[in-house]
Amino acid sequence: NGFGATTEPKGIDYNTCSFLTSINPGAEKFRDLSGDIRIKVVFKEIKTVDKTVPGRWVFEFTCNRDKLSQAIKRVPINKSFTVEGGPEIKVSELRITPVATKLGYQITDNLKYDLDFILTDENGKIYHSGAGMDKDGYGVWKCGLLDDNITMLSIKPILKYLIMPKEG
């Protein structure tokens, strides 16, 4: 598969395991890893909208961090804007990886506001997903894979209130 995986999961496709793209270890020690990395993911149960499926699922594989890093496309955006009466928003870059698309951003006053995005390609396909922010307002918005042949992408930020402004 070109990314150094030594085993391929059987019977799993993007629809059945798309939640795996939201796993983000976040610890500094993971950022310095290189070469072959053995990965093990264990689930005690799987929850759907209307039920919980008990059981234990284990996925193990090896990937090469250096090959994965080479496959990441980084598109610098480096745009800032201020919402009238609201926070300043800085969008830093779009990262396209073999498994997901990630948009890096920062928002001031992140205790009052949250941010979401809608991405639309030139064919009108809309990409939705979600974001996660740290306590300093730095965030990563993630969605699945973009279609292979797109050449243009529209990024629309959606500002959401965590604390509604007082009227009057």
Side-chain angles (χ1 to χ4, degrees):
N1 64 11
F3 299 112
T6 58
T7 59
E8 232 11 81
K10 302 285 186 242
I12 298 173
D13 63 17
Y14 180 76
N15 292 323
T16 58
C17 68
S18 63
F19 57 88
L20 291 177
T21 62
S22 68
I23 295 172
N24 182 7
E28 290 288 328
K29 64 183 178 183
F30 292 115
R31 294 181 189 168
D32 295 330
L33 294 175
S34 64
D36 286 341
I37 302 169
R38 186 83 181 138
I39 298 173
K40 181 177 183 178
V41 180
V42 180
F43 294 97
K44 290 190 252 180
E45 62 185 21
I46 295 178
K47 294 183 179 186
T48 66
V49 173
D50 58 351
K51 66 180 178 177
T52 297
V53 180
R56 186 173 188 266
W57 291 269
V58 180
F59 303 94
E60 294 186 63
F61 56 94
T62 299
C63 71
N64 186 286
R65 171 70 184 256
D66 303 321
K67 289 181 182 178
L68 283 172
S69 294
Q70 292 171 1
I72 297 171
K73 295 178 192 172
R74 296 179 186 274
V75 179
I77 296 176
N78 299 320
K79 299 286 182 190
S80 297
F81 56 94
T82 302
V83 176
E84 186 177 324
E88 179 182 16
I89 297 167
K90 298 176 184 177
V91 180
S92 57
E93 72 175 353
L94 182 71
R95 290 186 309 261
I96 304 167
T97 75
V99 295
T101 303
K102 300 176 181 181
L103 186 65
Y105 68 93
Q106 182 182 13
I107 182 171
T108 60
D109 206 358
N110 64 312
L111 297 178
K112 256 191 215 178
Y113 302 97
D114 194 4
L115 195 57
D116 203 352
F117 295 90
I118 296 175
L119 276 62
T120 308
D121 68 22
E122 72 261 22
N123 300 315
K125 182 173 180 180
I126 298 173
Y127 301 87
H128 295 277
S129 194
M133 253 188 308
D134 67 12
K135 64 180 175 54
D136 296 320
Y138 289 94
V140 176
W141 181 89
K142 301 175 191 178
C143 70
L145 297 173
L146 301 177
D147 287 348
D148 287 338
N149 299 321
I150 65 167
T151 58
M152 189 173 71
L153 196 62
S154 167
I155 301 171
K156 179 180 179 180
I158 308 293
L159 186 64
K160 299 185 287 185
Y161 289 101
L162 295 174
I163 299 173
M164 293 300 292
K166 294 179 182 178
E167 292 184 27

